[in-house]
Amino acid sequence: MTFETVEPVLTGVRNFRDVGGLPTADGRRVRPGVLYRSGHLAHATEEDTAFLARLGLHTVFDFRNAADQALEGPDVALPGVRNVNIPLSDPADGAEFWTMVREGDLAQLRAALSGGRAAARMAESYRAIIRDRTAEHGRVLRALAEDSVPALMHCAAGKDRAGLSVAVTLLALGVEREAIEADYLESNSPHRRYRVYRSPEAAEGMSPEVMELLAPLFDARPAYLHTAFDTIEDHWGGVEAYLAEGLGLTPALRERLRARLLED
């Protein structure tokens, strides 16, 4: 399944796309030009920045934590755009994660990531975000419903924390799960993937085994997203209860959200 999206050539920003065009169960579509997603904006070039400035963004939601921001730097400033930082993971987890990715030797990586442990780690992170970050996701959806569009959501790679936040937003809009998953899996496209960096001093560098061990951390896998959906079912009994009880969305607020983000 493919959708028509804005597809610029950005050289310093990975994984950018317009979420517009995705279909809802009742036959509507997400309005183009109101919700974008990407990796971080810290390395945006002048040309990238000029393109982003032309989007007319109201708000950039940055889901990185302090460790992520210390590693890559702050987002580029966009004139007139509000930047809202809502961390969706603990900075200590971020520091430990990036130290392992960038500096871990083969023995450390095998111990932490082999035998399905990397994929299990990712699935558990998705479960935790859905289960524990309801206040943050509720805040994002209320902001979108009130005044914060057009909006751009991003994390580091634009795959996991931003991917889940986009997925939660799309669930609230009534977008079909098949379409949510198709958009999520777009992060696997070679030109979108996060560029993994290994320290020059790291043992085994970027050897095939090292990259194979790291791969599950930087893949967008259906099983990860399914873990998020399953968590919604397990903890709340379904999407409607998750949105109402977990995120605190009233029917009126959901209707405002749909009015802002969906085509008439």
Side-chain angles (χ1 to χ4, degrees):
M1 184 182 295
T2 59
F3 306 100
E4 292 297 324
T5 59
V6 174
E7 193 65 58
V9 178
L10 299 179
T11 56
V13 178
R14 305 290 284 182
N15 209 6
F16 175 89
R17 57 192 180 275
D18 186 344
V19 183
L22 299 183
T24 63
D26 63 1
R28 300 172 72 182
R29 289 186 179 272
V30 179
R31 184 176 293 140
V34 296
L35 182 60
Y36 303 92
R37 57 180 294 176
S38 74
H40 69 76
L41 310 183
H43 300 164
T45 65
E46 288 187 15
E47 292 78 11
D48 297 340
T49 302
F51 170 82
L52 294 170
R54 290 196 298 271
L55 296 178
L57 296 172
H58 181 286
T59 301
V60 170
F61 293 100
D62 181 356
F63 301 121
R64 296 180 298 164
N65 59 46
D68 299 317
Q69 292 180 337
L71 187 75
E72 303 284 7
D75 282 343
V76 66
L78 299 174
V81 178
R82 181 178 66 162
N83 288 276
V84 179
N85 180 223
I86 304 178
L88 290 181
S89 56
D90 187 271
D93 293 338
E96 178 269 335
F97 174 84
W98 290 115
T99 298
M100 175 180 66
V101 168
R102 294 195 164 201
E103 301 176 14
D105 62 29
L106 192 53
Q108 292 171 322
L109 295 177
R110 284 172 176 165
L113 304 175
S114 66
R117 284 186 282 269
R121 175 190 178 119
M122 294 302 300
E124 178 54 35
S125 73
Y126 277 54
R127 184 177 296 110
I129 288 174
I130 292 295
R131 183 187 63 228
D132 302 335
R133 301 291 178 166
T134 51
E136 289 87 342
H137 280 143
R139 177 184 170 190
V140 169
L141 292 184
R142 283 189 290 275
L144 293 176
E146 296 301 337
D147 65 358
S148 297
V149 293
L152 168 66
M153 297 183 182
H154 80 80
C155 50
K159 172 179 73 77
D160 303 311
R161 290 164 291 185
L164 277 180
S165 299
V166 168
V168 167
T169 303
L170 296 175
L171 285 175
L173 294 173
V175 172
E176 298 174 343
R177 289 198 188 186
E178 180 186 1
I180 295 174
E181 185 170 324
D183 173 68
Y184 168 76
L185 293 175
E186 282 292 315
S187 292
N188 286 327
S189 300
H191 70 289
R192 300 189 190 281
R193 293 180 68 93
Y194 184 83
R195 291 191 179 100
V196 179
Y197 171 83
R198 293 272 290 163
S199 169
E201 288 76 37
E204 290 82 30
M206 298 179 72
S207 70
E209 184 176 357
V210 165
M211 299 313 291
E212 183 178 354
L213 287 166
L214 292 176
L217 305 178
F218 296 98
D219 288 345
R221 297 188 176 185
Y224 302 161
L225 189 62
H226 296 169
T227 295
F229 292 151
D230 290 346
T231 302
I232 290 173
E233 298 293 331
D234 294 342
H235 280 259
W236 288 278
V239 170
E240 293 302 314
Y242 166 67
L243 295 172
E245 300 166 19
L247 305 191
L249 302 187
T250 64
L253 192 144
R254 283 188 68 185
E255 192 52 45
R256 286 201 299 275
L257 184 71
R258 289 167 61 85
R260 284 193 179 273
L261 296 182
L262 296 181
E263 294 180 334
D264 298 328

